[in-house]
Amino acid sequence: MSYNTTGRLLRLTTWGESHGPAIGAVIDGCPPNIPIKASEIQYWLDQRKPGQNKFTTQRKEEDKVEILSGVFEGLSTGTPIQLLIANKDQRSKDYSDIKGTFRPGHADLTYWHKYRNRDYRGGGRASARETAARVAGGSIARSILNSICPNIKIKGYLIQMGEHKIVRDNFDYDAIGKNAFWCPDAKMADIWSDYLIEIRKSGDSIGAMIEVCAQNVPPGLGAPIYAKIDGDLASAMMSINAAKSVEIGDGTNVASLRGSQNSDEFFLENDKLAFRSNHSGGILGGITTGQDIICRVAIKPASSILIPKEAVTLKGVATEVVTKGRHDPCVGIRGVPVAEAMMALTLADHVLLHRAQCGAIKDYQF
Amino acid sequence: MSYNTTGRLLRLTTWGESHGPAIGAVIDGCPPNIPIKASEIQYWLDQRKPGQNKFTTQRKEEDKVEILSGVFEGLSTGTPIQLLIANKDQRSKDYSDIKGTFRPGHADLTYWHKYRNRDYRGGGRASARETAARVAGGSIARSILNSICPNIKIKGYLIQMGEHKIVRDNFDYDAIGKNAFWCPDAKMADIWSDYLIEIRKSGDSIGAMIEVCAQNVPPGLGAPIYAKIDGDLASAMMSINAAKSVEIGDGTNVASLRGSQNSDEFFLENDKLAFRSNHSGGILGGITTGQDIICRVAIKPASSILIPKEAVTLKGVATEVVTKGRHDPCVGIRGVPVAEAMMALTLADHVLLHRAQCGAIKDYQF
Amino acid sequence: MSYNTTGRLLRLTTWGESHGPAIGAVIDGCPPNIPIKASEIQYWLDQRKPGQNKFTTQRKEEDKVEILSGVFEGLSTGTPIQLLIANKDQRSKDYSDIKGTFRPGHADLTYWHKYRNRDYRGGGRASARETAARVAGGSIARSILNSICPNIKIKGYLIQMGEHKIVRDNFDYDAIGKNAFWCPDAKMADIWSDYLIEIRKSGDSIGAMIEVCAQNVPPGLGAPIYAKIDGDLASAMMSINAAKSVEIGDGTNVASLRGSQNSDEFFLENDKLAFRSNHSGGILGGITTGQDIICRVAIKPASSILIPKEAVTLKGVATEVVTKGRHDPCVGIRGVPVAEAMMALTLADHVLLHRAQCGAIKDYQF
Amino acid sequence: MSYNTTGRLLRLTTWGESHGPAIGAVIDGCPPNIPIKASEIQYWLDQRKPGQNKFTTQRKEEDKVEILSGVFEGLSTGTPIQLLIANKDQRSKDYSDIKGTFRPGHADLTYWHKYRNRDYRGGGRASARETAARVAGGSIARSILNSICPNIKIKGYLIQMGEHKIVRDNFDYDAIGKNAFWCPDAKMADIWSDYLIEIRKSGDSIGAMIEVCAQNVPPGLGAPIYAKIDGDLASAMMSINAAKSVEIGDGTNVASLRGSQNSDEFFLENDKLAFRSNHSGGILGGITTGQDIICRVAIKPASSILIPKEAVTLKGVATEVVTKGRHDPCVGIRGVPVAEAMMALTLADHVLLHRAQCGAIKDYQF
C-alpha cells in the first residue's frame, strides 16, 4: 500500500515538491535489457515542458532528467531506475502572500485538513509539476512496450476546449503535433488560438477534454475483477491534477444508448475477427479486445486566475485572492503528454501482469 | 497485487462464478468490535436481489448470506470475515447454446483471449452476479463507517435512463426508495416505467446514469498522489460491470467551464468555513473538503438482448446470436446498490488510511 | 496491504476460526488451464490431518475440501479458487473454562491486547487449524509448479525432536513417509517414538526442527532487494504457528565460519556449471543458484500441556491453568506438510514473478 | 507488489548501485509533523559508514545525505521523503578484472541467471552499499517512533564472531558503543580484536551473529496471520546482505525445549501483568506481548577474500579468483546499524498499521 506509487508490477513512485530542490521518479519492475536513453526521456519531457509557447506558463524549467540508477551501458538492469529532475526556476516569493490563505479550487485547504502542515510554495506536492515525473516514467513504459509489443501506438490530443469541440470529420493524426494545442482538427486549432488569447486576456482560464488512443494493443490484457484494465486506467487518469472524469469508449454517452445500438458486432474479414464498431473503447469485461483503446479525461480550468475570488485565511478570516504567479490559461494542453504517459504506464504494467499469469503475449487466434 | 481484491487497508476479495455452487467475499482489515449482523447484510443484498419487480431479471435468487468467520458474539474480531452466498437458481442449460459462440458486447471473447478457457455458464466470473459479493462487503463497510464516522450518509440513485434525464428541481431524497428505479424525481419515475416496458417489449435494453452522493464526510480523507480518493473511487466504480465512465462533481462538464465559473469560493458562516458551490464534488487535490462527495457512473445497456446480432464462433465461423435467458432490460437499476457499496468501501478504506498516517479523524477546525 | 494474505502474484488469503462453521482459502492469480482436482488437494490435506496416529491430537476432523470457484471442467480458469473445509469436531465446551483466562505461551493475551475481543474457542484465528487452509493452497501451488517447472521436488522432514537430532549419514529420502514423524533417519524414528510417548505421558510437549528441501529449482528465481526469495521464505515460514526461527543453507552456523570455508566454489562438469558445496542453501543475493533450496524452521513445543502453569485472568487475578482438550505433544510433526506448502507457495509465486519481469523460465546457459 | 520496497504502510523504496552516481531511499507514508533533521539521519549513517577503523573496508565514503523532498521547515509534510547519498569513492577499475567472471559466494552468477545483464562494478545493486539507504530510512522510522511511542529503545550488537560468543553474564549495554564491534561484552571485544586482525592477515573473513533488542514496545502490535510482526521481521532481516537466519526469542533452541520449560508464565506485580521469562522474544501469535523483542540474525563471512577460489567465466571457462578491492573482514560489524534500522522500520510500520485497524496505541490494561 503506497500513497505515491502507481502500477501493479511496473511501479512508478514519484516524489518532490514544486519548490523543493528537485522532483523525480523511481521506476521499479522494469524488465532487464530494455534500451533506455536519457535523450529519449528528455524528448517526452520536452513535450510537457512549460514556457514553450504563449499558451503555457512562463516558468522556465529546463526539466533536464538525470538517470541515477538501474541503467548500465544503455540497458535497463532490472533494478530500480531513479530519474531526477532539478527544480531551477522556483520563484517562491511569488507565493509568500498565499502562505496564510486557502485559495478556492486549490488543494491548500484539503492538505491543511489532512496534514495540519503545508508546503505552500507553488502548491507543494499538489503542484502539476509532479506530472513531469509521470512523463519521465511514461517514457520508460514506452520503451518497455516498444520491446515487447512494438506495434502499440499511443497518441493523446485535445478534443474540446471550453465551448469548442473538434469536428470528428476533420480528425487528422498528423495535425496533432503541428499546433500548440495537440489538436487533431487544424481548423479548430485556429479557433482555439483566438479563443485562448481572449481568455488569458480576461485573466481567466478554461477547461478541456483530452482523448488518448492506444492502437494495436494485443487482445487479452487486463484481468477481472479489480484489476480490470479500464479500472486501472480510471485510477491512473483520475490521479492527474485537475481531472474530473474518465470515460472509456462511448463513456457517458452509453447512458443514452439502447443495447441494439451499443453492441459491437463482429464478423470475419480475411479469416480474422473484425468489429463493426468500437463503442466499448477496446475493452470488454476489463480485458482488451484488440481494438483501439479510447479513453477521455476532462480537465477543469485552472483555479489560478487573475479574477478576485472569496477565500478564507488559516486563522479563519474572510479575505479575497487573486493568483498572480505564472500560470497556464488551459492546463488541459500540457495534460496531454501526461495522459499519454499514464496510458503507457498502464499498458506496460498489464503486459507484465499478463506474462506473469498467462505467459507470452500472443495475438488472437481461433 | 491481487486481481480480485479491492481496497488498501479494508480489503474486499470476491470469488465465485454465476453458475458455480456459491459466490462470496472475504473482508480483511475490518476493525474489531464493529457490530455485524447477517440480517443487516441481508437488508442490503435484498436491495440488489434479482426478481423483485418486472423491471429486473426473473432469476430467482434468495441471495441468503452466511457469515463463516470473523464475527464472534455479534462483533467483528478483527480477523477476515467470510461471507458466502449460495447459488440456487442456475439454469445452466440456458447457456448451452452459447457455449461455442462469442457474444458481441460480452466478455466471452476477451476471457477466451486471455485465458483460453472459459466458464461460459451465465458469463462465469464476468457475470454481474459477482456484484452481490460487493454489496455484502459494502454492508460491512457501512458498519465500520457507522462506528467511526456515524454522520456519513451514502445514497445512490438513477438520474438518467436512455434519453430521459431527471429534472434537478424535482429532486427529492424521499422519492428514491418509492419507485422501482431508485429515481429521485417521482414524475420521471412514471415516464421511465412506460419507457422501460416499451424497451423490454422490443427485446432491447437501455443505458443509465447512476449518481452516488456521500454526505457529512469529514474533510481530510484521501492522499496524494496515487491514493487520491477520487482516483480510488474511479477505479472502484469503473470496476462495476458495464460501467463506462466515472465523474466527480461537475465531471465531463468542466471541459466547458471557465476558472471563474468553476471555483468553489469559500466564506465564513457562523465562524465555520462554508462553500458557495460544489463543482469539485467534495474533493480537491484528491482529499475531501467536507462537502458532499458526488460521483456519477454511466452504465451501458445490457448486451443480452432478443434482437439478433452478428457473432463468431470459437472455431472462427460467422453466426448470429439472440440472447434468451433471463435478463435485466436496464442493468443500471440494480447497479445503484452496487455503486453505493463501492462508495462505502472506498470511504471506509480511506478512514482507516487516514487513521494510520494522521491519527484520529477530526472535523475541520481553524 | 492484507493481513491474511500471503504471496505477491499468487495470493493466498486464508479465513476462519478453529471453532467457527468452516475455514478456507482463496487463491488468486493462479494461471489458467492448470489441472486442479479435489482429490489431489485432499491428498495433501490428509498428510496434515489430525487424529492419524497416537502422536497427534485426537480431534477428529475429516478436513474434506470443497472447491467452490475458479475451476471449470477440471482446469483452473484464472479466477479466484475458493477452497472450503467445514469444521466438524468442535468441542467448544472444552474451552469454556479458559474463556476468562490468558494462557501462558498462547496468543490469548496478545489478541486481547490488540483487539479487546477474542474468540477463545480453540484459539480462534490463532489456532493451528488455519494451517489446513495453507496446505490446501499449497496443493494449488504444487499444481502450478508441476505445469511450469515439472522437475521441482519439494520435501519436508523433521531433523530434530527435543534433544535428539537425526544422523545425517543415515539420511534416506524414502524413509520419510514410512514413520509417524516424517523422519529421514529410520533408526532415529524409533528413538523418537519412545521419547514422544514418554513426553506425552508426563503431560508435556516437545519442540522440533523442520527442514524443507526443494530440488531442481531453476536458477534466477527471486529478486533484489525486498523481494529476495529467502526474504519471502523467511516471512512465509515464520508465519507458521509456533515457528521461532528460519534458516537458509548453513543458517545460524555461518556465524562460526570463515569465508574460505563458506564459499561454494564452482567448476565445470560436462560443460555445465557445478558447485563444490551448498552452504548457501541454493540462494545468492536473494536469487536461486539452481542448487537445492534448503530451509529450516524451529517449532516451539506446544504450550497446551497438562502441567499446571501460572496465569492471569481477564480481570487481572492470578490463577493457574492446565490445558485439557486434545493436543499434539509435538506440533512440529504436523508442521512438516505446512512448511512444504509454504515452500510450494513461495516458489510458485516467484515463478510467476520471474515470468512477469524476465519472460519464460529458462535453465542456465552460458 | 514492489521488488525494492519494504513495509506495509511505511514504505521504504531503495535505489542505486555501488558504483553509480548515487544511491538513495524514498520513504512514503510518514505521518506529518514529525521532526526530521539531516543531521540526525547523518548520525545514524555515520554508524554504518565504511573506513572508520581498521576492521572495516577502507573505501572512503562520506555518505552525506541530502533531503530532497517531503520535509518543510524541519517537519515531515506527509509526502514522500527522498534521501540521496552521492557515491564518491568508486574505484570501478578495481572491478574490471571480474567483469567477465562469476565469483563464488557472490550474486554475480544469480543476477546473470535472472537478468542476463549485470552491473559488475562493486556488485552493482547486490552491494552492501544499498544498506546505507536502509539506515537513512531507519532514521526516519526512529523519528516516527519517537513521536508516537517515545519509550521504545532499539539496540543492536554482536553476540558472536566466528568461534567466539559473548558471555551473557558480562552483558553491558553501555559497553556496546565503546568498542569497534558493537560488542556488549568488553572482555570479548578484546579477544575479537586480536582474532579479527589474525583473520584479516590470513586474507580470510569471518561470520557473525547480530542480536537486536527493542525495549518498551507496546503490547498489541502485529496482526495475524500473514502480517505477524515476527513474519515481517523475518523478511526484513533476511533481506540484509549476507543474512542466513532469523531467530525470535529462543530461536533455533526451541527445538530442544519442552513445553514446561518454554512457557513464559505470567503473574501480577503491583497489579500489572509480569512475565517469569521471555522465551518468546516478546511475540505471541505474531503480536507483541509488551516484553522485549529479541531478534537474531546470522551474517555469513564475506565472500570477498584474498584466498584463491575456483570460479567460472561468463563464457563457461574454469578460472580462479582472488578478490582484491577493499573489503570488510567481518561484514557482521557494519550489519549492526542495518539490523537496527530494519527493526525500527518494522516497528514504525506496525505502529501505523495498528492505528489504522484499532485506533490509538495504548498500554496494557485489564
Side-chain angles (χ1 to χ4, degrees):
Chain A
M1 211 308 296
S2 289
Y3 303 97
N4 290 277
T5 301
T6 186
R8 293 167 181 274
L9 282 175
L10 183 70
R11 302 273 284 169
L12 173 79
T13 303
T14 69
W15 54 270
E17 279 82 33
S18 177
H19 287 60
I23 62 166
V26 199
I27 296 93
D28 196 11
C30 180
N33 302 306
I34 306 289
I36 308 280
K37 287 183 209 156
S39 60
E40 207 169 306
I41 305 171
Q42 199 62 54
Y43 170 82
W44 295 109
L45 279 171
D46 289 349
Q47 314 280 311
R48 196 212 71 100
K49 203 167 69 173
Q52 300 199 100
N53 59 47
K54 60 188 169 183
F55 301 113
T56 58
T57 169
Q58 294 310 301
R59 178 169 172 171
K60 297 281 182 234
E61 283 292 354
E62 266 186 87
D63 276 357
K64 197 160 160 7
V65 71
E66 285 174 82
I67 301 175
L68 296 186
S69 67
V71 178
F72 186 59
E73 298 178 346
L75 299 177
S76 64
T77 59
T79 63
I81 301 171
Q82 173 64 267
L83 304 174
L84 185 140
I85 302 165
N87 287 327
K88 301 277 185 181
D89 188 28
Q90 313 104 305
R91 294 200 202 150
S92 303
K93 65 188 169 201
D94 283 3
Y95 294 92
S96 57
D97 50 346
I98 56 126
K99 179 177 174 174
T101 303
F102 299 128
R103 294 167 297 168
H106 282 89
D108 301 347
L109 176 70
T110 53
Y111 271 61
W112 184 252
H113 273 318
K114 180 156 208 83
Y115 301 119
R116 313 299 292 173
N117 180 324
R118 165 181 161 232
D119 180 349
Y120 56 84
R121 301 164 306 160
R125 181 75 182 142
S127 165
R129 184 140 184 72
E130 184 268 345
T131 59
R134 300 177 186 230
V135 171
S139 172
I140 306 291
R142 284 177 191 268
S143 299
I144 296 168
L145 290 174
N146 212 36
S147 289
I148 305 178
C149 300
N151 296 325
I152 291 180
K153 285 210 174 86
I154 295 167
K155 199 75 202 160
Y157 37 86
L158 274 201
I159 58 168
Q160 181 184 352
M161 183 186 290
E163 59 211 84
H164 300 290
K165 297 185 185 179
I166 64 160
V167 178
R168 285 279 169 178
D169 286 344
N170 295 343
F171 196 104
D172 173 12
Y173 264 99
D174 294 330
I176 295 170
K178 295 184 179 148
N179 56 67
F181 312 104
W182 312 109
C183 181
D185 171 348
K187 282 184 198 164
M188 186 51 67
D190 291 338
I191 297 171
W192 286 357
S193 178
D194 294 342
Y195 181 63
L196 196 53
I197 288 168
E198 175 267 318
I199 282 166
R200 203 187 47 194
K201 278 189 187 156
S202 68
D204 215 336
S205 65
I206 191 72
M209 182 72 79
I210 298 169
E211 187 168 280
V212 186
C213 174
Q215 296 175 300
N216 306 319
V217 177
L221 300 187
I225 296 287
Y226 301 112
K228 287 178 176 175
I229 202 164
D230 39 0
D232 283 4
L233 275 173
S235 154
M237 296 295 176
M238 193 67 97
S239 75
I240 298 174
N241 304 47
K244 298 304 286 184
S245 72
V246 183
E247 297 173 271
I248 303 292
D250 280 13
T252 56
N253 197 40
V254 297
S256 313
L257 295 181
R258 295 188 175 216
S260 53
Q261 299 168 306
N262 184 63
S263 92
D264 298 316
E265 294 177 278
F266 24 76
F267 63 103
L268 290 171
E269 196 173 42
N270 305 324
D271 288 333
K272 297 196 71 174
L273 193 90
F275 293 83
R276 297 270 176 222
S277 55
N278 186 15
H279 295 282
S280 77
I283 301 170
L284 283 174
I287 301 174
T288 55
T289 62
Q291 293 179 281
D292 291 355
I293 297 183
I294 306 288
C295 182
R296 278 184 306 288
V297 188
I299 302 291
K300 73 176 188 181
S303 303
S304 299
I305 52 177
L306 290 167
I307 298 162
K309 287 287 167 187
E310 284 181 280
V312 167
T313 70
L314 257 86
K315 308 231 161 133
V317 177
T319 182
E320 201 170 63
V321 283
V322 172
T323 313
K324 290 165 214 156
R326 302 157 295 173
H327 297 286
D328 289 273
C330 177
V331 285
I333 301 171
R334 286 174 57 219
V336 169
V338 180
E340 282 186 350
M342 298 318 287
M343 176 65 85
L345 285 160
T346 305
L347 290 181
D349 191 27
H350 274 276
V351 163
L352 301 188
L353 266 180
H354 186 84
R355 292 209 303 195
Q357 195 182 14
C358 300
I361 306 288
K362 284 177 197 157
D363 268 346
Y364 176 71
Q365 65 218 66
F366 286 112
Chain B
M1 212 309 295
S2 289
Y3 303 97
N4 290 277
T5 301
T6 186
R8 293 167 183 274
L9 282 175
L10 184 69
R11 303 272 284 169
L12 173 77
T13 303
T14 69
W15 53 271
E17 279 83 33
S18 179
H19 287 59
I23 61 166
V26 199
I27 296 93
D28 196 11
C30 180
N33 302 306
I34 306 289
I36 308 280
K37 286 183 210 156
S39 60
E40 207 170 306
I41 305 171
Q42 200 61 56
Y43 169 83
W44 296 109
L45 280 171
D46 289 349
Q47 314 280 311
R48 195 211 71 101
K49 203 167 68 172
Q52 299 200 101
N53 59 47
K54 60 186 170 186
F55 302 113
T56 58
T57 170
Q58 295 308 301
R59 178 169 172 170
K60 297 282 183 234
E61 283 293 355
E62 264 186 87
D63 276 358
K64 199 162 158 6
V65 71
E66 285 175 82
I67 301 174
L68 295 186
S69 67
V71 179
F72 186 59
E73 298 177 345
L75 298 178
S76 63
T77 59
T79 63
I81 301 171
Q82 174 64 267
L83 304 174
L84 185 140
I85 302 165
N87 287 327
K88 302 277 185 181
D89 188 27
Q90 312 105 305
R91 293 201 203 151
S92 303
K93 63 185 171 204
D94 283 3
Y95 294 93
S96 56
D97 50 345
I98 56 127
K99 179 177 174 174
T101 303
F102 299 127
R103 295 166 296 166
H106 281 88
D108 300 348
L109 176 70
T110 53
Y111 272 60
W112 184 253
H113 273 318
K114 181 157 206 82
Y115 301 119
R116 313 298 293 172
N117 179 323
R118 165 183 161 230
D119 179 350
Y120 56 83
R121 300 163 308 160
R125 181 77 182 141
S127 165
R129 186 140 182 72
E130 184 268 346
T131 59
R134 300 177 186 231
V135 170
S139 171
I140 305 291
R142 284 176 192 269
S143 298
I144 296 169
L145 290 174
N146 211 38
S147 288
I148 305 178
C149 300
N151 296 324
I152 291 180
K153 284 208 176 90
I154 295 167
K155 199 75 202 160
Y157 37 87
L158 275 200
I159 59 168
Q160 182 185 353
M161 183 187 290
E163 58 211 85
H164 300 289
K165 296 185 184 180
I166 64 160
V167 178
R168 286 278 169 178
D169 286 345
N170 295 343
F171 196 104
D172 173 12
Y173 264 98
D174 294 332
I176 295 170
K178 294 184 179 146
N179 56 67
F181 313 104
W182 312 108
C183 180
D185 172 347
K187 282 184 197 165
M188 186 50 68
D190 291 339
I191 296 170
W192 287 356
S193 178
D194 295 342
Y195 180 64
L196 197 53
I197 288 168
E198 176 266 319
I199 282 166
R200 203 187 47 195
K201 277 188 188 156
S202 66
D204 214 336
S205 65
I206 191 72
M209 182 71 79
I210 298 169
E211 187 168 281
V212 185
C213 174
Q215 298 175 298
N216 305 319
V217 177
L221 300 188
I225 295 286
Y226 302 111
K228 287 178 174 174
I229 201 164
D230 38 2
D232 282 3
L233 274 173
S235 154
M237 295 297 175
M238 193 66 97
S239 74
I240 298 173
N241 304 47
K244 298 305 286 184
S245 72
V246 182
E247 298 173 90
I248 303 293
D250 280 12
T252 56
N253 198 40
V254 296
S256 314
L257 295 181
R258 296 188 174 215
S260 54
Q261 298 168 306
N262 184 63
S263 92
D264 298 316
E265 294 177 278
F266 24 74
F267 63 103
L268 291 170
E269 195 173 42
N270 305 323
D271 288 334
K272 299 195 70 174
L273 193 90
F275 294 82
R276 297 271 176 221
S277 55
N278 186 15
H279 295 281
S280 77
I283 300 170
L284 283 173
I287 301 174
T288 55
T289 63
Q291 293 180 281
D292 290 356
I293 296 183
I294 306 288
C295 181
R296 277 185 306 287
V297 188
I299 301 291
K300 73 175 187 181
S303 302
S304 298
I305 54 176
L306 289 167
I307 298 162
K309 287 286 167 189
E310 284 181 279
V312 168
T313 71
L314 255 85
K315 307 230 159 134
V317 177
T319 182
E320 201 171 64
V321 283
V322 172
T323 313
K324 292 167 213 156
R326 302 156 295 172
H327 297 285
D328 289 272
C330 177
V331 285
I333 301 171
R334 287 174 58 219
V336 170
V338 180
E340 281 186 351
M342 298 318 287
M343 175 66 84
L345 284 160
T346 305
L347 290 181
D349 191 27
H350 274 277
V351 162
L352 301 188
L353 266 180
H354 185 86
R355 292 211 302 197
Q357 194 182 15
C358 300
I361 305 288
K362 284 177 198 155
D363 268 346
Y364 177 70
Q365 65 216 66
F366 286 112
Chain C
M1 212 308 295
S2 288
Y3 303 97
N4 291 278
T5 301
T6 185
R8 293 168 182 274
L9 281 176
L10 183 69
R11 303 272 284 169
L12 173 78
T13 303
T14 69
W15 54 269
E17 278 83 32
S18 179
H19 287 59
I23 61 165
V26 199
I27 297 93
D28 196 10
C30 181
N33 302 307
I34 306 289
I36 308 279
K37 286 184 212 156
S39 60
E40 207 170 306
I41 305 171
Q42 199 62 54
Y43 169 81
W44 296 108
L45 280 171
D46 289 350
Q47 315 279 311
R48 196 213 70 101
K49 202 166 71 173
Q52 300 199 103
N53 59 46
K54 58 188 169 183
F55 302 113
T56 58
T57 169
Q58 295 308 303
R59 178 170 171 168
K60 298 281 182 234
E61 282 292 355
E62 265 187 87
D63 276 357
K64 199 162 160 4
V65 70
E66 287 174 80
I67 301 174
L68 295 186
S69 66
V71 178
F72 185 59
E73 297 177 346
L75 299 177
S76 65
T77 59
T79 63
I81 301 172
Q82 173 65 266
L83 303 175
L84 185 139
I85 302 166
N87 288 328
K88 300 277 183 180
D89 188 27
Q90 312 105 304
R91 292 200 203 151
S92 302
K93 64 185 170 207
D94 282 1
Y95 293 93
S96 56
D97 50 346
I98 55 126
K99 178 177 175 174
T101 303
F102 299 127
R103 294 167 297 167
H106 281 89
D108 299 349
L109 176 71
T110 53
Y111 271 61
W112 184 253
H113 274 317
K114 180 156 207 85
Y115 301 120
R116 314 296 294 171
N117 180 323
R118 166 182 160 232
D119 179 349
Y120 56 83
R121 300 164 308 160
R125 181 76 182 141
S127 166
R129 187 142 181 71
E130 184 268 345
T131 60
R134 299 177 186 230
V135 171
S139 172
I140 306 292
R142 283 177 192 268
S143 299
I144 295 168
L145 290 174
N146 212 36
S147 288
I148 305 179
C149 299
N151 295 324
I152 291 179
K153 284 209 175 88
I154 295 167
K155 199 73 201 160
Y157 37 88
L158 274 201
I159 58 168
Q160 182 185 353
M161 183 186 291
E163 58 212 84
H164 300 290
K165 296 186 184 178
I166 64 160
V167 178
R168 285 279 169 182
D169 285 344
N170 295 342
F171 196 105
D172 173 12
Y173 263 98
D174 293 332
I176 295 171
K178 294 183 180 148
N179 57 68
F181 313 103
W182 311 108
C183 180
D185 173 347
K187 284 184 198 164
M188 187 50 67
D190 291 338
I191 296 170
W192 288 356
S193 179
D194 294 342
Y195 182 63
L196 197 53
I197 289 169
E198 176 267 317
I199 282 166
R200 204 187 47 196
K201 278 188 187 155
S202 67
D204 214 336
S205 64
I206 192 70
M209 182 73 77
I210 298 169
E211 187 169 281
V212 186
C213 173
Q215 297 175 297
N216 305 320
V217 177
L221 301 188
I225 298 288
Y226 302 112
K228 287 179 175 173
I229 200 163
D230 39 0
D232 282 4
L233 275 173
S235 154
M237 296 295 175
M238 194 66 97
S239 74
I240 298 174
N241 304 47
K244 297 305 285 185
S245 72
V246 183
E247 298 173 89
I248 303 292
D250 279 12
T252 56
N253 197 41
V254 296
S256 314
L257 295 180
R258 294 189 176 215
S260 53
Q261 298 168 304
N262 185 63
S263 91
D264 298 316
E265 293 178 278
F266 23 76
F267 62 104
L268 291 171
E269 196 173 41
N270 305 325
D271 287 336
K272 297 194 71 173
L273 194 89
F275 293 83
R276 296 268 177 222
S277 56
N278 186 14
H279 295 280
S280 77
I283 302 171
L284 283 174
I287 301 174
T288 55
T289 63
Q291 292 179 280
D292 290 356
I293 297 183
I294 306 288
C295 182
R296 276 185 307 288
V297 188
I299 302 290
K300 73 174 188 183
S303 302
S304 299
I305 53 176
L306 289 167
I307 297 162
K309 287 286 166 188
E310 286 180 279
V312 168
T313 69
L314 259 85
K315 307 230 161 131
V317 177
T319 183
E320 201 170 65
V321 283
V322 171
T323 313
K324 289 168 218 158
R326 302 156 296 173
H327 298 286
D328 289 272
C330 177
V331 286
I333 302 171
R334 288 175 58 218
V336 170
V338 180
E340 282 187 350
M342 299 317 288
M343 176 65 84
L345 284 160
T346 305
L347 291 181
D349 191 27
H350 274 277
V351 162
L352 301 188
L353 266 180
H354 185 85
R355 293 212 300 198
Q357 195 182 13
C358 301
I361 305 287
K362 283 177 199 156
D363 268 346
Y364 176 72
Q365 65 216 65
F366 287 111
Chain D
M1 213 309 295
S2 289
Y3 303 97
N4 291 277
T5 301
T6 185
R8 294 166 181 275
L9 281 175
L10 184 68
R11 303 272 283 169
L12 173 78
T13 303
T14 69
W15 54 269
E17 277 84 32
S18 179
H19 287 59
I23 60 166
V26 200
I27 297 93
D28 196 11
C30 180
N33 302 306
I34 306 288
I36 308 279
K37 285 183 212 159
S39 60
E40 208 170 307
I41 305 172
Q42 199 62 54
Y43 170 83
W44 296 109
L45 280 171
D46 289 350
Q47 314 280 311
R48 195 211 71 101
K49 203 166 70 172
Q52 299 199 100
N53 59 46
K54 59 188 168 183
F55 301 112
T56 58
T57 170
Q58 295 308 303
R59 178 169 172 171
K60 298 279 182 235
E61 283 292 355
E62 265 186 87
D63 277 357
K64 199 161 159 4
V65 70
E66 286 175 81
I67 302 174
L68 295 186
S69 66
V71 179
F72 186 59
E73 297 177 346
L75 299 177
S76 65
T77 58
T79 63
I81 300 172
Q82 173 65 266
L83 303 175
L84 185 140
I85 302 166
N87 288 328
K88 301 277 184 180
D89 188 27
Q90 312 105 304
R91 293 200 204 151
S92 303
K93 64 186 169 203
D94 283 1
Y95 294 92
S96 55
D97 50 347
I98 56 128
K99 178 176 176 175
T101 303
F102 299 127
R103 295 167 296 167
H106 281 89
D108 299 347
L109 176 71
T110 53
Y111 272 61
W112 184 253
H113 273 318
K114 181 156 206 85
Y115 301 120
R116 315 296 294 172
N117 179 324
R118 166 182 159 232
D119 179 350
Y120 56 83
R121 301 164 308 160
R125 181 74 181 142
S127 165
R129 185 140 183 73
E130 184 267 347
T131 59
R134 299 177 186 230
V135 171
S139 172
I140 306 292
R142 284 177 192 267
S143 299
I144 295 169
L145 290 175
N146 212 36
S147 288
I148 304 178
C149 300
N151 295 324
I152 291 180
K153 285 209 174 89
I154 296 168
K155 199 74 202 161
Y157 37 87
L158 274 201
I159 58 168
Q160 182 184 353
M161 183 186 291
E163 58 212 85
H164 300 289
K165 296 186 185 180
I166 64 160
V167 178
R168 285 280 168 179
D169 285 345
N170 295 343
F171 196 104
D172 173 12
Y173 264 98
D174 294 331
I176 294 170
K178 294 185 180 146
N179 55 67
F181 312 103
W182 313 108
C183 180
D185 172 347
K187 282 183 199 166
M188 186 51 68
D190 291 339
I191 296 169
W192 287 356
S193 180
D194 295 341
Y195 182 64
L196 197 53
I197 287 168
E198 177 266 318
I199 282 166
R200 204 188 46 197
K201 277 188 188 157
S202 67
D204 214 336
S205 65
I206 191 73
M209 182 73 78
I210 298 169
E211 187 168 281
V212 186
C213 173
Q215 297 175 298
N216 305 319
V217 177
L221 300 188
I225 298 289
Y226 302 112
K228 287 178 175 175
I229 201 164
D230 38 2
D232 282 4
L233 275 173
S235 152
M237 295 297 175
M238 194 67 97
S239 74
I240 298 175
N241 304 47
K244 297 305 286 186
S245 72
V246 182
E247 297 174 89
I248 303 292
D250 280 12
T252 56
N253 197 41
V254 297
S256 314
L257 295 181
R258 295 189 176 216
S260 53
Q261 298 168 306
N262 184 63
S263 92
D264 299 315
E265 294 177 278
F266 24 76
F267 63 103
L268 290 170
E269 197 172 42
N270 305 325
D271 288 336
K272 297 195 72 173
L273 194 89
F275 294 82
R276 297 267 176 223
S277 56
N278 186 15
H279 295 281
S280 77
I283 301 171
L284 283 174
I287 301 174
T288 55
T289 63
Q291 292 178 279
D292 290 355
I293 296 182
I294 307 288
C295 182
R296 276 184 307 288
V297 188
I299 302 291
K300 73 174 187 183
S303 302
S304 299
I305 52 177
L306 289 167
I307 299 162
K309 287 286 166 188
E310 285 181 279
V312 168
T313 70
L314 258 86
K315 307 229 160 133
V317 177
T319 183
E320 201 170 66
V321 282
V322 171
T323 313
K324 291 168 216 156
R326 302 157 294 172
H327 297 287
D328 289 272
C330 177
V331 285
I333 302 171
R334 287 173 59 219
V336 170
V338 180
E340 282 187 351
M342 298 318 287
M343 175 66 84
L345 284 159
T346 305
L347 290 181
D349 191 28
H350 274 277
V351 162
L352 301 188
L353 266 179
H354 185 85
R355 293 212 300 199
Q357 194 181 14
C358 300
I361 306 287
K362 282 177 200 157
D363 267 345
Y364 176 72
Q365 65 217 66
F366 285 111

